[in-house]
């Protein structure tokens, strides 16, 4: 298969922008996950009272990176489908449809999930700074946090799992023309790897395990990089 130079440049630009946007989204995940030491667990243990000492700017910056990631997805998602067309992958195949389904709402998912996380943390932080005691804060926010975050977690998996399965299939089957070892560079691939690394870091007593929170975001980022390399290998048409 061959591709026109202008189309090749557009696809490359979309994947590079997606890579940068989702890489920064991972940095936003660090900012959400950061908590000073010494806090008491709150809200099912997903956060602690030490978030009262986290600079509010961390959540604001993370919010903006979440918005940026939405724009990144908005550009790389259709670019992925265009590249699959160029590669001659059947539009009626299950894996093509699976990839299309997973990418359909990815832009909205990233923006919404980051917004929900940041707003929830800002509300809890404000309550703690206002002097609300731990037990009251915990009881007050248990249901609202679950109500907000559980649907979004389900939504994440509805995007991530189909994209991961389709990407791994295309890579391992040689459909993208890139090294098969790149199969790990996808949402669930790096997310699982990050969780394993985080578990090891916690076991070793490291306080930096929050840095592995970027797994899913960087999975999308490096998947963009993999697709960029796939485009680079495409030959130009003579027209």
């Amino acid at each position: 298969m061959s591709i026109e130079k202008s189309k090749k440049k557009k696809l490359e630009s979309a994947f590079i922008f997606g890579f940068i946007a989702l890489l920064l989204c991972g940095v936003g995940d660090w900012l959400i996950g950061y908590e000073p030491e010494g806090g008491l667990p709150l809200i099912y243990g997903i956060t602690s009272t030490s978030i009262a000492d986290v600079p509010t700017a961390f959540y604001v910056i993370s919010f903006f990176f979440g918005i940026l990631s939405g724009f990144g997805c908005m550009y790389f998602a259709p670019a992925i489908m265009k590249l699959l067309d160029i590669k001659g992958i059947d539009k009626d195949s299950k894996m093509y449809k699976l990839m299309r389904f997973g990418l359909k709402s990815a832009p909205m998912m990233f923006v919404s999930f980051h917004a929900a996380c940041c707003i929830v943390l800002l509300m809890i932080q404000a309550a703690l700074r206002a002097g609300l005691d731990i037990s009251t804060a915990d009881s007050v926010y248990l249901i609202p946090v679950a109500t907000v975050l559980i649907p979004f977690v389900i939504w994440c998996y509805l995007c991530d799992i189909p994209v991961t399965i389709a990407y791994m299939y295309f890579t391992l089957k040689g459909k993208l023309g890139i090294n098969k070892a790149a199969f790990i560079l996808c949402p669930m691939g790096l997310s699982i790897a990050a969780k394993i690394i985080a578990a090891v870091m916690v076991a070793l007593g490291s306080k930096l395990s929050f840095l592995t929170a970027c797994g899913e975001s960087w999975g999308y980022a490096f998947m963009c990089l993999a697709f960029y390399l796939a485009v680079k290998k495409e030959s130009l048409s003579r027209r």
Side-chain angles (χ1 to χ4, degrees), residues 19-69:
F19 172 71
I20 294 171
L22 273 299
L23 203 68
L24 289 175
C25 184
V27 175
D29 292 336
W30 291 352
L31 297 175
I32 287 177
Y34 170 73
E35 292 179 2
E37 296 179 39
L40 297 174
L42 273 176
I43 323 297
Y44 312 103
I46 63 173
T47 188
S48 75
T49 55
S50 64
I51 66 167
D53 299 320
V54 175
T56 301
F58 280 22
Y59 300 132
V60 176
I61 294 169
S62 180
F63 204 147
F64 277 111
F65 283 162
I67 294 171
L68 179 63
S69 72

Side-chain angles (χ1 to χ4, degrees), residues 45-179:
I46 63 173
T47 188
S48 75
T49 55
S50 64
I51 66 167
D53 299 320
V54 175
T56 301
F58 280 22
Y59 300 132
V60 176
I61 294 169
S62 180
F63 204 147
F64 277 111
F65 283 162
I67 294 171
L68 179 63
S69 72
F71 282 100
C73 291
M74 188 174 69
Y75 280 96
F76 80 68
I80 286 175
M81 302 316 298
K82 287 179 184 177
L83 180 59
L84 296 183
D85 292 339
I86 291 169
K87 291 290 186 180
I89 295 172
D90 185 4
K91 291 184 178 182
D92 293 322
S93 67
K94 291 181 180 179
M95 290 301 160
Y96 184 96
K97 291 179 179 178
L98 203 60
M99 178 66 86
R100 184 174 58 197
F101 172 80
L103 292 176
K104 204 75 172 178
S105 64
M108 196 186 307
M109 180 272 287
F110 265 99
V111 175
S112 301
F113 191 65
H114 256 259
C117 289
C118 291
I119 290 172
V120 163
L121 290 172
L122 283 168
M123 288 174 63
I124 298 170
Q125 184 185 66
L128 292 171
R129 287 179 175 178
L132 196 66
D133 64 273
I134 300 171
S135 60
T136 304
D138 198 53
S139 62
V140 166
Y141 286 103
L142 281 177
I143 300 302
V145 169
T147 302
V148 171
L149 295 184
I150 289 176
F152 279 110
V153 170
I154 294 171
W155 190 5
C156 284
Y157 285 122
L158 285 175
C159 293
D160 294 351
I161 293 176
V163 169
T164 294
I165 293 172
Y167 170 80
M168 285 185 170
Y169 173 83
F170 292 138
T171 304
L172 293 174
K173 287 291 185 178
K175 302 287 187 180
L176 301 179
I178 57 178
N179 194 305

Side-chain angles (χ1 to χ4, degrees), residues 4 58 60 63 66 77 135 162 196-198 206 218:
E4 294 178 20
F58 280 22
V60 176
F63 204 147
S135 60
I196 293 172
I197 294 170
S206 173
W218 282 19

